[in-house]
Amino acid sequence: MSYEKLAKEIVHLVGGEKNVVSLVHCATRLRFVLKDEAKADKEKLEKTDGIITVKQSGGQFQVVVGNKVPEVYSAISKVSNILDESKKDEKPVKANKGFGAIIDVVSSIFAPLLGVMAGAGILKGLLLIASNAGWLAPKDTTYIILLAAADSLFYFLPLLLAVTTARKFEGNIFVALTIAGGLLYPSIVTLKTEGTPTDFFGIPIVMMSYSSTVIPIIIAIIVMSKLEKWFNRLIHESVKNFITPLILLVIMLPLTLIVFGPFGVYVGNGIATGLIAAFGFSPLLAGAIMGACWQILVIFGVHWGLVPVFINNIAVNGRDGIKPSAAASIFAQTGAAFGVMLKTKNKKLKTLAGSATLTALFGITEPAVYGVTLPLKRPFIAGIIGGAIGGAIIGQAGTQAFASGAPGLLTLPIFYGPGGQGFPGLILGISVSFLVSAILTYILGFEDPVEAEESPENSTKEPVHTTDVSNEEVFSPIEGTVVSLSEVPDPAFASEAMGKGVAIEPTSGRVVAPFDGTITVAFKKKHALAVVSPKGAEILIHVGVDTVKLDGKHFTSHIKEGDQVKAGDLLLEFDVEQIRAAGYPTITPIIVTNSSAYSEILPTTKGQVRVQEPLLKLFGGTNEKEGIA
């Protein structure tokens, strides 16, 4: 699928561009804010090629597409007006409140910066290694130029956050940048460094250093955006374009220096101090908790609450001792995906797990978590255990992060500080977390799709196809009304992609053998089975649509794979009324899965049919339409 085709499909399935309030992306996700999430078709999105999964968290409708997210994001800008800066549409039907609103704000502000932040963090880490190894001296002009490239993002972080915060709250980006620039203006910086007593019309100001800070500028721009809308309503249209910015500059920079700046710095330092104290009390325990829980926090989107803390620690102290333990969680899920790749016999899952392992090694874990470990459950638990052990090792080693960036192989240099202290502990911790998770996954195992598929249309456990087939008659396995496959509300069946046949709307909940044969597939969810006759006919009987989601409820199976059955033997029972009451159609496709082996497949009954009455005639490829045996 091309990126533009995928982009069009995504825009359509989130409810159309008129349903989109805003869109940003991070390393693997398109993060939509929608007017009405009920208009988005989550189920179809998750089934679309190119989409790993869909998550709703923190007021965002998150479409996970993996490493190709920049290309898909760019394609969306070409096929829609969603990314038009002038697009200031209605608000979502339901605004987020409480903690969800905070997570939404933080993720929207930081997500656009993650790519460049990771790149700058890697460069800064490499410079630390080069300096410690004596390859470059801090006084070398080469070092100074490269350090400027690596460190400018962090030094001027308030400027970048002013842009993303203004976008989030629909404020004037240029006024926001000017306010942030005021905090970093040389004469303001001099007042702090020289300790000059400072006041504003007699109001004393506690001067702070605002380079690399996070919370002060975010608070300032949120307030600025609210005031801007208020002033724009009050001021006449003819002059508001310059009077409103004038008022905002006069009010906001002093207000930030007097109130928001000191408050933000103290709050950020307070949170950081609390977390550092936890690591100081028991680095082993704190590291284990961080290593075990980081990927769980990521799944629910609440990890964004810790990102400002990491950045604040690096800005204030030059290092952060909390983030390193999160690396254990990332490498643990990587190891779990690797364990799945080694153990599964399903070629499709093996390929997926292999590519997800490679991606996760570089810090992008969504394909591994959402596509492999979490759906299989036990591997995800193995990753939690491995992450806890690795996190404990890293915490006890006192490993520090000296720059920002998602933990991965390429960003390991950000954990290498003066003398390399704590770095061996990091290497040991991530190695242990990877190996423990991989081994546990292999030992504990999982419900391999080779042995039990979630649905027949995705099954890799195909019956053995026979090309040398004979004419044959299939008798009805269910009592009910015979209808065309086109009436089945599932395109996999209705399009005959699974094979030719008919469907039956059942009037009783019994499935019997359509001929003498062998059970080749008995799904553990009990909703479907496959049987093959001695003459080669392969029949799939799938009770209802999407009934796999019932997880076996309302079904009773009387067979297992390999059983020899006689025509009319009871194979399966189901509660028709309970299944319908649960909201699932009971229309049941009867499919000849090796249809290509026959020259023609003809229904022999219309309307009402009883069990063991003729249902289908199958004509072998080299036989005439006669002599059905």
Side-chain angles (χ1 to χ4, degrees), residues 292-524:
C293 296
W294 180 253
Q295 283 298 150
I296 299 175
L297 298 179
V298 170
I299 288 171
F300 291 103
V302 298
H303 65 300
W304 287 105
L306 291 175
V307 170
V309 177
F310 299 157
I311 297 173
N312 185 79
N313 282 343
I314 293 170
V316 175
N317 305 315
R319 63 184 65 197
D320 170 63
I322 304 168
K323 181 178 182 175
S325 295
S329 181
I330 290 172
F331 280 89
Q333 291 301 326
T334 308
F338 182 69
V340 171
M341 185 191 75
L342 294 179
K343 190 170 183 70
T344 182
K345 295 178 181 177
N346 183 315
K347 292 181 180 179
K348 184 177 179 181
L349 180 57
K350 188 180 287 289
T351 300
L352 174 62
S355 63
T357 298
L358 183 62
T359 304
L361 284 171
F362 295 97
I364 308 300
T365 56
E366 276 87 347
V369 172
Y370 294 130
V372 182
T373 65
L374 191 59
L376 296 175
K377 298 182 180 65
R378 289 179 193 167
F380 185 75
I381 295 171
I384 292 175
I385 296 170
I389 297 171
I393 294 171
I394 294 171
Q396 188 64 35
T399 306
Q400 302 288 309
F402 297 89
S404 295
L409 288 181
L410 288 179
T411 54
L412 290 181
I414 70 176
F415 302 103
Y416 189 92
Q421 183 178 359
F423 191 71
L426 175 82
I427 300 301
L428 177 62
I430 62 176
S431 300
V432 168
S433 62
F434 181 93
L435 291 172
V436 167
S437 301
I439 293 169
L440 277 178
T441 296
Y442 198 89
I443 293 173
L444 294 175
F446 46 86
E447 191 172 315
D448 196 333
V450 167
E451 297 170 357
E453 279 292 330
E454 287 297 300
S455 62
E457 52 266 38
N458 296 324
S459 179
T460 58
K461 192 167 191 176
E462 299 176 354
V464 178
H465 287 274
T466 307
T467 56
D468 184 18
V469 295
S470 303
N471 292 352
E472 190 161 0
E473 190 159 27
V474 177
F475 298 95
S476 180
I478 297 176
E479 181 176 314
T481 303
V482 179
V483 296
S484 168
L485 278 180
S486 62
E487 296 186 31
V488 179
D490 185 316
F493 295 116
S495 66
E496 298 188 345
M498 296 288 295
K500 295 181 179 181
V502 295
I504 297 177
E505 186 62 68
T507 54
S508 70
R510 288 167 50 87
V511 178
V512 302
F515 42 55
D516 296 350
T518 304
I519 302 297
T520 55
V521 179
F523 290 91
K524 289 188 177 180

Side-chain angles (χ1 to χ4, degrees), residues 60-121:
Q60 293 182 337
F61 192 86
Q62 302 171 13
V63 181
V64 184
V65 296
N67 290 337
K68 58 182 175 289
V69 69
E71 289 82 3
V72 179
Y73 181 81
S74 177
I76 288 176
S77 72
K78 295 176 182 177
V79 303
S80 73
N81 296 315
I82 288 174
L83 301 178
D84 186 349
E85 282 292 341
S86 64
K87 182 178 181 290
K88 307 259 182 168
D89 223 323
E90 302 168 34
K91 297 297 180 186
V93 171
K94 287 188 177 181
N96 288 290
K97 297 180 180 180
F99 189 65
I102 295 173
I103 296 302
D104 174 36
V105 169
V106 175
S107 62
S108 298
I109 290 171
F110 283 94
L113 303 179
L114 290 184
V116 65
M117 194 173 284

Side-chain angles (χ1 to χ4, degrees), residues 109-132:
I109 290 171
F110 283 94
L113 303 179
L114 290 184
V116 65
M117 194 173 284
I122 293 169
L123 180 55
K124 197 170 183 180
L126 291 172
L127 286 173
L128 286 170
I129 293 175
S131 175
N132 290 333

